[in-house]
Amino acid sequence: MKLVIDESRCKGCNLCTLVCPYKIFQEGSKLNKKGIIVPSLDRPGRCTNCRLQKLYDRRLCGVCQLICPDQAIRWVEEKPCEPMDVVIEF
Ligand code: SF4
Ligand code: SF4
């Protein structure tokens, strides 16, 4: 699974940067096309290894998603890698 911020919804309030126990959300530095500074993600893969999963009895702690007032945080399934034909020329 891949953690994503939906830029069409995010208002840049940065609540997610305050609550994530792993500091995966970081304050962004660049304005997007809508003039909003969307948080950046620092090694988002750490989220699915969250040690809080035992505490909450689920895979993700989900605090960021609960706190986001604009429902801008979600996880998307990543496509499995497809084998490719590779031609090696000598
Ligand atoms: S689910 Fe928890 S650990 Fe994962 S990004 Fe959100 S707040 Fe951070
Ligand atoms: S809490 Fe939601 S709306 Fe606020 S900055 Fe984070 S993703 Fe954007």
Side-chain angles (χ1 to χ4, degrees):
M1 284 199 297
K2 186 179 169 192
L3 175 61
V4 292
I5 300 174
D6 183 345
E7 288 204 22
S8 67
R9 288 177 168 267
C10 177
K11 302 290 192 306
C13 68
N14 277 305
L15 288 176
C16 51
T17 66
L18 298 175
V19 299
C20 177
Y22 283 87
K23 305 288 180 208
I24 289 171
F25 291 88
Q26 305 276 322
E27 287 195 25
S29 55
K30 289 182 188 164
L31 290 170
N32 68 9
K33 288 178 192 164
K34 292 166 72 179
I36 290 167
I37 301 177
V38 173
S40 60
L41 298 172
D42 176 21
R43 291 167 287 157
R46 289 181 299 153
C47 174
T48 52
N49 296 320
C50 183
R51 287 193 293 273
L52 295 177
Q53 57 186 263
K54 281 185 187 157
L55 180 67
Y56 290 90
D57 196 25
R58 58 188 181 200
R59 195 165 170 213
L60 306 168
C61 83
V63 175
C64 56
Q65 196 177 41
L66 287 172
I67 203 83
C68 176
D70 296 294
Q71 291 89 46
I73 297 169
R74 61 196 168 95
W75 289 262
V76 294
E77 291 295 335
E78 290 180 280
K79 286 183 186 170
C81 294
E82 290 181 14
M84 294 171 59
D85 287 333
V86 177
V87 177
I88 300 173
E89 293 180 8
F90 296 96

